[in-house]
């Protein structure tokens, strides 16, 4: 099997699944009601659209890697002892662990702070980006989450001990 084939198949499945969600939500539910409010079809449509976008991004990345346009030679910072498969397994476990910690912190710290810490940890420790970039992305993600839930959807978020975001 050619290198990258699994990524291309996975990307295709994500795009197909996302398209099915988006199209299904349009045919079965209202995305926006006649009163201009968000309808029951909004979340499946939004989620499906995101799956299509992210699936396409995975596919483009796989195509670029297949054409040899990935990392320059000699950059082995992400390949630990045991090879790429060992690295992928550790990364998946680390991400699941971080997500579990963030979920457990929501009642204590509130959603926005827990989400911000999760995004920071993912960007800094999983992606290996700089401290400044991790902070900027985390703050941007928290602002985006606040805007979506509090302003756009008007759904209160768990506030935790600091009372932020409710």
């Amino acid at each position: 099997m050619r290198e990258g084939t699994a990524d291309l198949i996975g990307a295709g499945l994500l795009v197909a699944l996302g398209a099915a969600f988006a199209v299904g939500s349009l045919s079965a539910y209202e995305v926006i009601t006649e009163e201009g409010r968000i309808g029951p079809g909004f979340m499946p449509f939004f989620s499906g659209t995101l799956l299509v976008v992210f699936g396409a991004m995975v596919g483009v990345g796989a195509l670029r890697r297949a054409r040899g346009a990935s990392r320059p030679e000699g950059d082995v910072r992400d390949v630990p002892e045991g090879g790429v498969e060992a690295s992928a397994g550790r990364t998946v476990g680390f991400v699941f662990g971080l997500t579990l910690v963030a979920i457990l912190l929501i009642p204590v710290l509130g959603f926005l702070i827990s989400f911000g810490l999760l995004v920071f940890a993912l960007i800094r420790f999983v992606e290996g980006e700089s401290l400044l970039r991790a902070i900027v992305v985390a703050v941007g993600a928290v602002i985006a989450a606040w805007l979506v839930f509090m302003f756009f959807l008007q759904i209160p978020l768990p506030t935790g001990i600091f009372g932020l975001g409710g």
Side-chain angles (χ1 to χ4, degrees), residues 60-72:
V60 168
L63 288 173
R64 284 185 179 164
R65 282 190 304 280
R67 291 191 176 118
S70 63
R71 236 180 236 165

Side-chain angles (χ1 to χ4, degrees), residues 1 28 33 39 42 65 68 74 87 95 97-98 100 103 109 116 125 130 146 149-150:
M1 199 181 213
T33 66
F42 177 79
R65 282 190 304 280
S87 173
V95 169
L98 286 173
L100 177 62
I103 290 169
L109 299 177
F125 303 115
S130 69
W146 182 84
F149 285 104
M150 298 299 294

Side-chain angles (χ1 to χ4, degrees), residues 84-101:
V84 175
E85 289 82 15
S87 173
R90 288 182 201 142
T91 301
V92 169
F94 189 61
V95 169
F96 275 106
L98 286 173
T99 304
L100 177 62
V101 169

Side-chain angles (χ1 to χ4, degrees), residues 12-26:
L13 290 172
L14 285 175
V15 168
L17 183 64
F21 270 106
V23 170
S25 70
L26 290 175

